[in-house]
Amino acid sequence: MYAAQAIALLVLAYLLLRLYRDYSGGRLDWQSGISWAILILVFVVVAIFPIQVSQAVKDLLGLGRGAGCSFCGVYRSLVLYRL
């Protein structure tokens, strides 16, 4: 699990760096930059605290598998935004 977390954090750090470069280069306006930064920071929280997030989702929705719900939302948003 720690290896998956480390890989996810490295990928997210790269995405934040790319976001900064695109914003500095003028390819993104400030609204888009903030939107992407918030989305990536949500993914960082899920990557750092996967068990706590899955338990919170499970308790909130009353489902037996909170991890499936939290990561399903992450993948769905990646497909929708074509990251």
Side-chain angles (χ1 to χ4, degrees), residues 12 15-16 19 28 30-46 74 77 81 83:
L12 291 168
L15 290 176
L16 280 173
L19 174 69
L28 287 175
W30 66 272
Q31 295 98 342
S32 297
I34 290 174
S35 299
W36 280 109
I38 289 171
L39 183 67
I40 292 171
L41 291 177
V42 167
F43 293 152
V44 167
V45 170
V46 171
V74 168
S77 63
Y81 292 114
L83 186 65

Side-chain angles (χ1 to χ4, degrees), residues 12-74:
L12 291 168
Y14 169 74
L15 290 176
L16 280 173
L17 179 66
R18 186 173 160 192
L19 174 69
Y20 176 73
R21 282 192 212 165
D22 287 347
Y23 179 72
S24 297
R27 288 188 274 175
L28 287 175
D29 56 350
W30 66 272
Q31 295 98 342
S32 297
I34 290 174
S35 299
W36 280 109
I38 289 171
L39 183 67
I40 292 171
L41 291 177
V42 167
F43 293 152
V44 167
V45 170
V46 171
I48 293 175
F49 305 110
I51 303 298
Q52 291 86 350
V53 170
S54 68
Q55 288 297 325
V57 170
K58 182 181 113 176
D59 294 340
L60 182 69
L61 298 178
L63 300 172
R65 299 184 66 167
C69 292
S70 61
F71 291 112
C72 177
V74 168

